[in-house]
């Protein structure tokens, strides 16, 4: 009986998260993200990103939601996909570096962080 109730609750939540127009779901995702409810935000944003892969904003927010909810491999995957499509997106480059650092891969992160800094006009003092 408990499993059925849990399944029903999960389905109801998924229905709520996916309900409405793209604009309504975007707003809902932003509200969840701003409330630091990153996992539900990621659920909504994942669907939006699949529907419109050519839009950068939902994909960046999705990567951030993954990062903040400690879904680091998903964040990395999304960030690499973003950079494949938009190679000069400095914020995605910075996030990829931070994600790799948080994953314990500082050596891999370093070139991304340097490139992000250079793209943002930040150069180390000599």
């Amino acid at each position: 009986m408990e499993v059925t109730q849990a399944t029903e609750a999960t389905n109801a939540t998924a229905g709520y998260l996916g309900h409405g127009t793209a604009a309504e779901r975007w707003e809902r995702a932003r509200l969840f993200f701003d409330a630091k409810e990153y996992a539900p935000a990621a659920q909504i944003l994942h669907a939006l990103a699949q529907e419109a892969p050519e839009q950068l904003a939902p994909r960046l927010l999705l990567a951030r939601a993954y990062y903040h909810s400690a879904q680091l491999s998903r964040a990395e995957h999304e960030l690499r996909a973003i950079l494949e499509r938009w190679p000069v997106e400095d914020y995605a480059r910075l996030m990829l570096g931070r994600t790799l650092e948080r994953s314990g891969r500082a050596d891999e992160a370093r070139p991304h962080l340097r490139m992000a800094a250079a793209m943002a006009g930040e150069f180390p003092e000599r």
Side-chain angles (χ1 to χ4, degrees):
M1 183 70 171
E2 288 180 27
V3 173
T4 304
Q5 289 173 339
T7 301
E8 288 174 8
T10 300
N11 290 340
T13 301
Y16 168 72
L17 295 177
H19 178 72
T21 66
E24 290 168 337
R25 288 180 286 138
W26 168 251
E27 184 61 29
R28 189 175 304 119
R30 297 285 314 244
L31 290 171
F32 275 111
F33 188 91
D34 291 345
K36 298 183 180 181
E37 295 290 337
Y38 302 115
Q43 284 182 282
I44 299 166
L45 292 163
H46 177 76
L48 287 171
Q50 286 186 324
E51 290 172 24
E54 71 283 355
Q55 292 187 5
L56 178 61
R59 296 186 74 178
L60 274 174
L61 195 59
L62 173 60
R64 291 177 63 200
Y66 283 151
Y67 177 86
H68 288 299
S69 61
Q71 299 179 63
L72 300 180
S73 62
R74 287 181 176 177
E76 179 184 353
H77 175 78
E78 189 62 35
L79 290 163
R80 289 188 187 280
I82 289 168
L83 289 169
E84 187 175 305
R85 189 170 194 142
W86 296 279
V88 294
E89 178 52 52
D90 62 320
Y91 186 68
R93 183 77 57 190
L94 173 66
M95 282 189 59
L96 178 58
R98 296 287 183 232
T99 299
L100 293 169
E101 276 184 334
R102 191 170 172 194
S103 298
R105 296 156 56 194
D107 290 342
E108 284 181 68
R110 201 167 294 114
H112 294 287
L113 295 173
R114 279 196 303 259
M115 190 180 300
M119 292 167 84
E122 301 168 9
F123 299 100
E125 295 181 24
R126 294 182 184 239

